[in-house]
């Protein structure tokens, strides 16, 4: 195991010990050791992952999915975030622990992780390679006098634009922290180029009712920006999940 990745596992396990049994995490990021974890994430490089190279990217496009033009009509994303869902993202699991998951996401150019949430979770992400377009929101109070649908969530936009690794081998500052109520807890990611990022999620998603399922949303502009949950996984969205050891062998 690489020195940086081993340090991340050690720090994350300590910072989030018991997180899975905590009903509510500190919304302001008041975790002892969180800054140390962020510092460790800054030091991770794309070269710390075997075979995450140009040869891997050529393999990513070997078997394209059917091209599906996904428009943004009526959403807050706007026409600038139209994309072609041609290739599927892949999530490589490095560690799955009771209180924390560490996952490497690989997104071929044109792929997308649709708008989704991280309920009562903290996410520390490091962009290792490439450029992503990010649209993110945080929950807010509905404006007085504005009537939204019963299932709507009033939000404010946190980010809208590109997230780019500084350099393929030295993306030292490309770290973002999502907190339960801050930092863009609801977000979608579109791969402008081939891209890869490392996620530390605490506590992990838990799909059972009353726990921490991953919910997908559509964003709406009228009467004000808000999100509405989808009943399941968005149509045409596919994300493969594999153990990290299979990175060298995956066929898309």
């Amino acid at each position: 195991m690489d020195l940086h990745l081993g340090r991340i596992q050690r720090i994350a396990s300590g910072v989030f010990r018991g997180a899975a049994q905590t009903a509510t995490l500190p919304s302001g990021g008041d975790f002892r050791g969180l800054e140390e974890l962020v510092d460790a994430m800054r030091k991770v490089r794309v070269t710390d992952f075997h075979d995450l190279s140009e040869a891997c990217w050529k393999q990513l496009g070997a078997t394209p999915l059917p091209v599906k033009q996904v428009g943004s009509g009526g959403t807050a994303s706007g026409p600038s975030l139209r994309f072609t869902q041609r290739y599927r993202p892949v999530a490589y699991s490095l560690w799955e622990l009771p209180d924390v998951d560490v996952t490497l996401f690989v997104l071929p150019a044109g792929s997308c992780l649709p708008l989704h949430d991280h309920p009562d979770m903290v996410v520390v992400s490091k962009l290792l390679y490439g450029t992503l377009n990010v649209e993110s929101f945080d929950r807010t109070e509905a404006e007085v006098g504005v009537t939204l649908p019963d299932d709507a969530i009033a939000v404010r936009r946190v980010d809208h634009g590109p997230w780019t690794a500084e350099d393929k081998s030295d993306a030292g500052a490309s770290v973002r922290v999502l907190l339960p109520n801050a930092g863009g807890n609801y977000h979608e990611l579109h791969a402008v180029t081939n891209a890869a990022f490392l996620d530390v999620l605490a506590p992990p998603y838990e799909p059972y009712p009353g726990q921490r399922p991953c919910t997908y949303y559509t964003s709406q502009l009228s009467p004000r920006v808000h999100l509405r949950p989808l009943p399941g996984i968005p149509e045409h969205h596919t994300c493969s999940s594999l153990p990290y050891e299979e990175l060298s062998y995956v066929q898309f």
Side-chain angles (χ1 to χ4, degrees):
M1 179 182 296
D2 180 86
L3 176 63
H4 296 316
L5 299 180
R7 183 173 176 233
I8 287 172
Q9 182 188 34
R10 175 181 58 79
I11 296 171
S13 297
V15 170
F16 299 113
R17 182 174 291 115
Q21 285 72 48
T22 302
T24 303
L25 294 175
S27 59
D30 186 19
F31 292 94
R32 182 176 300 175
L34 184 58
E35 290 185 3
E36 185 182 4
L37 175 60
V38 171
D39 180 66
M41 292 284 280
R42 288 195 180 102
K43 295 176 180 177
V44 176
R45 303 289 181 263
V46 67
T47 50
D48 293 329
F49 298 88
H50 65 77
D51 292 331
L52 192 56
S53 61
E54 289 296 339
C56 173
W57 298 118
K58 291 179 181 179
Q59 188 181 23
L60 288 174
T63 310
L65 298 175
V67 172
K68 174 65 179 180
Q69 292 290 342
V70 181
S72 56
T75 73
S77 299
S80 63
L81 286 184
R82 285 183 177 271
F83 69 101
T84 301
Q85 182 73 331
R86 188 178 181 189
Y87 306 115
R88 65 168 64 95
V90 180
Y92 295 99
S93 175
L94 276 69
W95 307 291
E96 293 183 6
L97 305 173
D99 296 317
V100 63
D101 276 355
V102 181
T103 302
L104 172 68
F105 286 90
V106 175
L107 279 70
S111 66
C112 170
L113 295 179
L115 184 60
H116 62 281
D117 64 0
H118 308 83
D120 290 322
M121 297 164 65
V122 173
V123 184
V124 183
S125 302
K126 166 65 180 285
L127 182 60
L128 298 163
Y129 188 106
T131 298
L132 299 171
N133 248 335
V134 179
E135 181 91 0
S136 63
F137 306 89
D138 281 331
R139 185 188 289 261
T140 188
E141 295 294 327
E143 292 181 7
V144 176
V146 175
T147 301
L148 298 178
D150 290 342
D151 62 349
I153 299 173
V155 294
R156 62 180 182 87
R157 180 179 285 150
V158 175
D159 195 7
H160 176 69
W163 181 22
T164 301
E166 292 179 348
D167 181 85
K168 292 179 183 179
S169 61
D170 186 22
S174 301
V175 176
R176 296 190 175 190
V177 179
L178 279 61
L179 302 172
N181 296 311
N185 195 278
Y186 303 82
H187 71 185
E188 62 184 18
L189 307 171
H190 300 254
V192 178
T193 68
N194 294 328
F197 64 93
L198 183 67
D199 257 4
V200 175
L201 298 92
Y205 283 113
E206 186 61 68
Y208 302 108
Q211 299 298 316
R212 290 175 301 279
C214 180
T215 303
Y216 293 91
Y217 298 84
T218 59
S219 55
Q220 307 290 329
L221 284 174
S222 178
R224 60 149 294 165
V225 178
H226 64 278
L227 309 182
R228 298 190 69 181
L230 296 174
I233 298 174
E235 187 180 5
H236 308 296
H237 171 58
T238 304
C239 183
S240 301
S241 297
L242 296 170
Y244 175 61
E245 289 75 14
E246 294 190 27
L247 178 59
S248 300
Y249 312 107
V250 63
Q251 295 292 331
F252 291 76

